[in-house]
Amino acid sequence: MIDIQIIADKLKRRERIAREDALCLLRSTDILALGAMAGAEKRKRTADKVFFNVNCHVNLTNICVSRCTFCAFSCDKDAPQAYTMTEQEVLARVRAALPLGITEVHMVSGLHPDKPFAYYLGIVRALKQEFPSVHIKAFTPVELLYFSDISGLTVHAILEQLIDAGLGSLPGGGAEVLSPRVREALCPKKATARQWLDIMGMAHGLGLKSNATLLWGHIETDEEIADHLLSLRELQDKTGGFQTFIPLPFHSANTGLTSRGRPTAFEQLRLFAVSRLVLDNFDHIKAYWIMTGLKIAQLALLFGADDVDGTVVEERITHAAGADTAQGLTRNELMDIIRQAGRQPVQRDTLYNELTL
Ligand code: V47
């Protein structure tokens, strides 16, 4: 077993964390040492700043042909809770959120069996037309590959058309664990790990920024977490297109997976610290308060995170799986949490431009 001090010395020499170092950190119980190391790395990049944005989430449909075992949000077409939004409903939802000062719409959805690519393209175009200053962060590589399958267009062409319609960046979802074993077990019908990475790389090549997530706390091993982080770091070395990494702790209610127990505070803070240390080429690490819970999101600010995501307004994916957090927070509530942790709240837009309050 490598000593954590050896890894701390490596960091001081600005050497990269290797796979065996990452595994050692993922298994370490020296949480305060991890916090000190990750906190120092955070401060080097963003000093005392902690970012948040004012956004709203839109999930166009919960009907999905993939039906991943970990997902409580998706359903079949004939399920009682099935819904699909019309373009007018989407516009009305965003219109209603405008007085909150939103600068971003975060839009991800199920893989609908019948809606054509034109439906999604039309919604992006209509949003951009009515709300030109609102950034549209939408569609994961999983959705983009599905649009390619149903339209016969290449993913490249799909991306070009979406960009032309007003797409601003990609969210980091659909990554789950970038491991063939885990994906075969939990989500065999959707984009593979390689496809997820390739599509992110392609989007970066077309000038889009994106985020990256890890859905953890289910059947994955420490080795698979380490490999996930290293795959992201490797792609980032090539493209530089990732903005932030977001660890998503698994919520098991109403899913097809029995829980091994929601990741504890200790495990969550450790993963924040390890992510900050391994992903040395990512500018930001995000504590998505909806999934971590507010208390852990606040503590994560001392363990390498520099972003708490946003106001959100209405969240369906995690709440379907038993999240006990609020549906949304106000800008003042987010700023209070950050200030209490001794950090400086900074409102940002989707691309991390600082906005004056
Ligand atoms: O892709 C699904 C995950 C993701 C569960 O890019 C679950 O800024 C926990 O990606 N328990 C969607 N997680 C959320 C997401 C996201 C959220 C906030 C910001 C950004 C960003 C991205 O949620 C899915 C999947 O990986 N998920 N089911 C569950 N039961």
Side-chain angles (χ1 to χ4, degrees):
M1 186 72 168
I2 304 161
D3 193 303
I4 196 166
Q5 189 53 48
I6 295 176
I7 301 175
D9 291 341
K10 261 189 158 181
L11 287 168
K12 278 193 200 122
R13 293 194 302 272
R14 295 197 164 273
E15 276 176 43
R16 278 198 140 170
I17 302 276
R19 185 174 190 268
E20 60 272 23
D21 302 328
L23 280 171
C24 164
L25 296 174
L26 283 167
R27 290 168 183 160
S28 171
T29 51
D30 197 348
I31 192 80
L32 294 181
L34 282 175
M37 285 154 70
E41 290 300 320
K42 181 250 174 272
R43 269 191 303 280
K44 268 188 216 163
R45 292 168 172 82
T46 49
D48 271 345
K49 290 178 185 175
V50 169
F51 299 95
F52 69 96
N53 75 343
V54 180
N55 65 350
C56 78
H57 282 214
V58 176
N59 305 117
L60 298 176
T61 180
N62 58 355
I63 302 174
C64 187
V65 297
S66 182
R67 304 305 316 277
C68 307
T69 323
F70 55 77
C71 182
F73 167 69
S74 71
C75 63
D76 293 333
K77 212 170 153 178
D78 52 4
Q81 74 275 28
Y83 76 89
T84 304
M85 295 173 83
T86 63
E87 186 174 298
Q88 285 312 313
E89 284 168 339
V90 177
L91 292 173
R93 170 78 57 82
V94 176
R95 220 173 277 137
L98 269 195
L100 306 173
I102 58 161
T103 63
E104 166 189 293
V105 174
H106 170 123
M107 191 162 69
V108 293
S109 314
L111 308 179
H112 194 284
D114 308 320
K115 286 287 179 196
F117 174 54
Y119 163 75
Y120 306 93
L121 193 62
I123 286 174
V124 172
R125 192 169 283 125
L127 282 171
K128 203 68 212 171
Q129 202 168 356
E130 182 165 343
F131 315 107
S133 63
V134 174
H135 181 106
I136 304 171
K137 178 181 77 176
F139 310 125
T140 66
V142 170
E143 293 167 271
L144 296 167
L145 181 65
Y146 185 66
F147 298 160
S148 159
D149 288 345
I150 59 175
S151 66
L153 296 167
T154 61
V155 176
H156 198 268
I158 292 284
L159 278 167
E160 282 178 330
Q161 291 193 25
L162 286 169
I163 292 169
D164 180 61
L167 180 71
S169 65
L170 303 186
E176 323 315 355
V177 184
L178 295 169
S179 139
R181 181 193 75 88
V182 174
R183 295 182 95 80
E184 191 51 44
L186 304 185
C187 48
K189 291 196 194 158
K190 70 184 191 189
T192 63
R194 189 67 262 158
Q195 286 170 321
W196 189 94
L197 288 162
D198 287 348
I199 293 171
M200 280 303 188
M202 189 188 288
H204 297 166
L206 284 165
L208 290 179
K209 292 288 183 189
S210 79
N211 298 332
T213 56
L214 162 71
L215 168 59
W216 68 288
H218 44 88
I219 64 163
E220 83 290 346
T221 62
D222 292 340
E223 285 81 0
E224 285 161 342
I225 293 185
D227 289 337
H228 182 100
L229 296 175
L230 293 174
S231 303
L232 295 176
R233 188 172 79 181
E234 189 183 320
L235 179 57
Q236 180 75 334
D237 277 342
K238 292 185 189 138
T239 67
F242 287 119
Q243 304 199 100
T244 184
F245 173 71
I246 317 157
L248 305 174
F250 175 56
H251 288 55
S252 64
N254 311 314
T255 71
L257 274 181
T258 42
S259 178
R260 73 179 197 205
R262 183 97 49 90
T264 61
F266 194 98
E267 289 171 314
Q268 292 209 52
L269 295 177
R270 178 169 57 197
L271 186 57
F272 275 110
V274 177
S275 308
R276 180 60 288 167
L277 295 172
V278 175
L279 296 175
D280 52 18
N281 51 6
F282 275 59
D283 287 341
H284 306 285
I285 303 288
K286 184 190 281 191
Y288 180 44
W289 65 268
I290 288 262
M291 289 205 197
T292 61
L294 267 186
K295 292 177 182 168
I296 291 172
Q298 191 180 41
L299 281 174
L301 306 181
L302 310 179
F303 285 78
D306 65 281
D307 189 332
V308 291
D309 195 74
T311 47
V312 178
V313 183
E314 186 188 14
E315 200 280 339
R316 290 171 182 260
I317 298 174
T318 331
H319 286 86
D324 43 25
T325 43
Q327 282 285 338
L329 285 180
T330 64
R331 172 202 266 178
N332 283 341
E333 286 170 320
L334 282 174
M335 293 196 342
D336 280 350
I337 285 157
I338 297 167
R339 284 206 188 98
Q340 277 170 21
R343 300 285 183 260
Q344 179 202 344
V346 177
Q347 188 179 336
R348 61 165 175 85
D349 67 10
T350 310
L351 302 176
Y352 286 85
N353 297 303
E354 298 185 14
L355 305 176
T356 39
L357 300 177

